[in-house]
Amino acid sequence: MPLLKMKLHLSKLRQILALFLIPIFLIFGFAIADNSSDALATPLTPTAQLTPSHPQSEKSVDLDKGSEQAKKASEKAFEGLETTKELIGKTEKRKQAIEHGRKKASRKLDSMAKKAEKAKKSEESLNHTEKLTLDRITDGK
């Protein structure tokens, strides 16, 4: 009997972990995805990219292009949602988590596009991480 309870507990633990990890993977997947292909089809393999340790040495970011690409990526966040739900979303909770992750990623990318627009007008400046993300989106590396 205790073995059955432990298996049930582990099953529930796996489900809870999946609900929290799926949105995180989706957000990071969109952030590093190549804009010339479907963001979900891009593998999430780490790539070595050295970042400058001094802000003076970093290259400038094309804010126009970055804002445009972030808007496009925000709109593409919902492409293939139903297919993903069918393949991955075995339960209603998973399907909700997938949809929540897509919404969050879309909002984050939309926010990034707005920040780039403001930075272009010198109303607001971008931090180092935001610049790197925009550079990544525009260059597609």
Side-chain angles (χ1 to χ4, degrees), residues 3-140:
L3 184 61
L4 182 61
K5 285 184 180 180
M6 188 167 34
K7 284 184 179 181
L8 182 63
H9 180 66
L10 287 175
S11 175
K12 286 183 180 181
L13 182 63
R14 260 188 257 136
Q15 289 176 352
I16 291 169
L17 283 174
L19 285 175
F20 288 108
L21 293 177
I22 287 172
I24 292 170
F25 288 135
L26 287 173
I27 290 169
F28 286 112
F30 285 122
I32 64 171
D34 180 3
N35 62 13
S36 64
S37 65
D38 185 21
L40 292 177
T42 305
L44 297 175
T45 55
T47 57
Q49 181 179 358
L50 299 176
T51 57
S53 58
H54 303 290
Q56 300 89 349
S57 65
E58 64 184 65
K59 67 179 186 174
S60 63
V61 177
D62 184 353
L63 296 175
D64 288 325
K65 189 175 178 185
S67 174
E68 180 184 326
Q69 294 293 1
K71 284 178 189 175
K72 284 181 183 178
S74 173
E75 293 165 3
K76 288 177 75 173
F78 293 100
E79 287 182 6
L81 177 61
E82 294 306 316
T83 305
T84 304
K85 283 182 176 181
E86 286 177 27
L87 296 174
I88 299 173
K90 305 289 185 211
T91 65
E92 191 58 37
K93 285 185 178 182
R94 278 190 188 179
K95 291 177 183 177
Q96 289 173 354
I98 292 166
E99 193 165 340
H100 175 73
R102 296 276 185 108
K103 285 179 185 176
K104 193 168 183 176
S106 178
R107 284 193 303 263
K108 185 74 173 173
L109 289 164
D110 192 44
S111 171
M112 183 74 68
K114 288 177 183 175
K115 281 185 178 184
E117 287 289 329
K118 286 183 179 180
K120 185 172 62 174
K121 297 175 184 174
S122 297
E123 296 173 13
E124 186 179 311
S125 63
L126 299 174
N127 65 36
H128 182 70
T129 305
E130 293 167 335
K131 287 179 184 177
L132 285 175
T133 302
L134 280 177
D135 185 48
R136 179 93 173 165
I137 289 171
T138 55
D139 288 346

